[in-house]
Amino acid sequence: KDITLETKLYDALRLEQLQLYYQPKIDIQTGKMVGMEALLRWIDSELGFIPPDRFIPFAEETGLIIPIGEWVLERACLDVKSWNDLFDLDLRVAVNLSPIQLALPNIIETIENTLRNTNVNPSFVEIEITEMSMVDFNESLVDKLAQIRAMGIAISIDDFGTGYSSLGMISHLPLDALKLDMTFVRNAFSGNGDTRMIELIIDIAEYLGVPTIAEGVETREQMEALRVMGCDYVQ
């Protein structure tokens, strides 16, 4: 079964059957769209929709995440450049970088080449890393992120509050935003109404001097409640 999935995933990449969907990022004060996150989706002709939490860990395990990640970054750069040029916008697209990609010795060169090949303005691009990337926290990681940021690309931590980072770690990183994991949003607006984690993460972001982005926001009421708490953006 896994061999079938590996073959199919390889073919999906080769035949350009993978797709990017874009989730809008909204400024909570103005209600305007300021950017989006690129979400990778795979719909196979036989297996149907294969959820990312199934195929992305598999892609990481097999090493396919490296060519897939390069394709995602290039496609997202081309798309955001196209929309910004066509409609005279200033949107920024966020792309998730796998810990495996981040560990590659040539990752900086890959990103530089992508910027050059797509001719995108680096300020239109944001790289997201998960807290999982910080399991092997070291000077090399800080240096790589600093080099990416020096290109003009923004850096954010995705799914913040669910992983391994400490305040000591993240205070050393060149960051532009913290992204609240959607489970906190879901919990805050479910039966138990526990907003303490959201408030704590907003406080951490304020301490670091960066904005917070809440993921998984689906209603105007949720957006208003997050605005009152001091959150800056919603997805």
Side-chain angles (χ1 to χ4, degrees):
K1 198 173 182 181
D2 281 351
I3 292 170
T4 305
L5 198 66
E6 183 175 355
T7 306
K8 280 186 167 291
L9 187 53
Y10 178 80
D11 287 343
L13 176 64
R14 185 173 58 85
L15 301 170
E16 298 186 2
Q17 292 172 344
L18 297 173
Q19 299 172 12
L20 287 187
Y21 284 60
Y22 291 96
Q23 187 177 64
K25 182 170 89 174
I26 309 295
D27 184 316
I28 217 162
Q29 294 297 334
T30 64
K32 288 184 177 174
M33 178 176 164
V34 292
M36 57 256 165
E37 180 181 354
L39 303 174
L40 183 62
R41 296 294 179 258
W42 179 21
I43 302 169
D44 181 75
S45 55
E46 291 176 356
L47 301 175
F49 176 75
I50 301 166
D53 60 2
R54 183 176 173 208
F55 78 82
I56 288 178
F58 185 78
E60 290 181 329
E61 202 179 298
T62 58
L64 278 171
I65 195 67
I66 295 166
I68 288 172
E70 288 178 11
W71 175 82
V72 169
L73 181 60
E74 183 173 290
R75 182 72 260 163
C77 286
L78 288 169
D79 284 347
V80 77
K81 175 175 167 41
S82 163
W83 295 326
N84 282 345
D85 287 354
L86 194 60
F87 301 109
D88 193 26
L89 299 170
D90 194 20
L91 300 175
R92 181 191 280 168
V93 67
V95 177
N96 200 288
L97 206 65
S98 155
I100 290 165
Q101 289 173 275
L102 198 54
L104 292 170
N106 67 337
I107 187 61
I108 300 301
E109 190 184 343
T110 299
I111 294 171
E112 284 174 339
N113 287 341
T114 304
L115 293 179
R116 195 179 305 113
N117 294 341
T118 58
N119 199 28
V120 69
N121 184 330
S123 68
F124 296 160
V125 184
E126 178 175 342
I127 293 291
E128 293 185 0
I129 62 166
T130 63
E131 284 191 280
M132 288 294 291
S133 302
M134 282 179 269
V135 174
D136 300 318
F137 182 84
N138 54 38
E139 283 305 313
S140 171
L141 172 69
V142 177
D143 183 55
K144 280 179 180 175
L145 293 177
Q147 287 184 67
I148 293 169
R149 202 158 176 251
M151 296 176 205
I153 294 174
I155 303 279
S156 60
I157 296 185
D158 197 14
D159 302 335
F160 186 75
T162 61
Y164 298 87
S165 65
S166 68
L167 194 53
M169 278 183 193
I170 59 174
S171 65
H172 285 95
L173 296 178
L175 285 182
D176 295 281
L178 291 185
K179 296 189 77 173
L180 276 157
D181 187 69
M182 67 174 68
T183 53
F184 298 131
V185 174
R186 201 175 294 135
N187 291 341
F189 301 108
S190 65
N192 63 16
D194 189 356
T195 61
R196 285 172 298 179
M197 275 304 290
I198 293 178
E199 289 160 353
L200 178 61
I201 292 170
I202 289 170
D203 284 346
I204 290 171
E206 283 180 0
Y207 169 77
L208 294 170
V210 298
T212 39
I213 305 163
E215 297 182 290
V217 178
E218 295 177 345
T219 68
R220 198 168 286 279
E221 289 74 23
Q222 290 173 352
M223 187 161 132
E224 178 55 24
L226 285 160
R227 187 189 68 76
V228 171
M229 280 184 244
C231 186
D232 301 289
Y233 302 96
V234 294
Q235 274 185 208

